[in-house]
Amino acid sequence: MAAQVAQSCALEPLTLIGFSLGAPAALAVARDLGKRVAQVHLVSPAAPLALGDFLDDMAGGTLFRMAQSRPRLFRMAVHLQSLLAQTAPNFLLDRLFATAAGKDRALFREPAFRQAMAQVLREGLGRDPRGFIADVAAYVADGGADLAHVGAPVTIWQGTQDNWTPPAMARALAGALPGPVTLHLLPGCSHYSALRAALARL
């Protein structure tokens, strides 16, 4: 991934942005590209599970725990979700947002947001679940040791009501990164509402 970024982004220095489960990828690319990266923005970041006991406070904690301890069952569950994403994306969306918190509840009622998210499910998970399976498997196996080699300044944007990647994750990640870290807490925001708020400021 770092090679692809370096090849496709001729202009430097680079700014990387990682959302949710994309945060570990953004940090890995920043580590591999070193001084070519000027700054990293992480929105609602999924921090390494080794940094704390987070799973009980995560809306998707059961799925991540399954990926850790019962990987075959995890793959079966994701293939079922993929089938739903293909055939009934709105039904799957309702299930995923059943525990929506903070400003995500109002965001989920917006027709444009629902339509966009259904399309993401249909064209992403619904088309091929292997990428999601690989990402989650890599995430639950990550001990976080490589964080020590991320030298670029990092800005974290975190909703105070996020129950997908809870604020404790952002605080633990901020404490584990070696370089300059700025943590912006976004009052009332949860997962996707934090993304909207952060992008408006970026």
Side-chain angles (χ1 to χ4, degrees), residues 43-192:
V43 185
S44 307
L49 296 176
L51 295 183
D53 186 14
F54 307 118
L55 288 177
D56 288 342
D57 297 320
M58 295 173 66
T62 301
L63 192 68
F64 290 123
R65 189 173 279 114
M66 190 187 302
Q68 283 181 320
S69 60
R70 304 187 70 182
R72 186 177 177 196
L73 183 60
F74 162 71
R75 289 192 295 272
M76 291 172 59
V78 174
H79 279 284
L80 175 59
Q81 289 181 333
S82 177
L83 180 61
L84 288 172
Q86 290 173 34
T87 59
N90 286 307
F91 175 80
L92 180 58
L93 197 59
D94 287 340
R95 303 287 72 74
L96 292 174
F97 277 84
T99 58
K103 294 181 181 179
D104 275 18
R105 288 194 294 264
L107 186 60
F108 186 59
R109 290 193 293 270
E110 294 182 13
F113 177 79
R114 288 180 58 89
Q115 183 178 359
M117 287 298 296
Q119 183 177 355
V120 167
L121 287 174
R122 197 166 39 245
E123 296 181 2
L125 184 62
R127 181 172 294 173
D128 188 345
R130 290 176 296 179
F132 179 70
I133 290 171
D135 285 347
V136 173
Y139 173 65
V140 299
D142 179 21
D146 288 342
L147 293 178
H149 302 290
V150 178
V154 176
T155 301
I156 299 174
W157 305 83
Q158 174 67 46
T160 60
Q161 301 298 313
D162 196 337
N163 63 337
W164 292 39
T165 53
M169 269 193 159
R171 293 188 184 99
L173 182 58
L177 288 165
V181 179
T182 303
L183 174 59
H184 292 292
L185 294 176
L186 304 169
C189 289
S190 186
H191 203 62
Y192 289 93

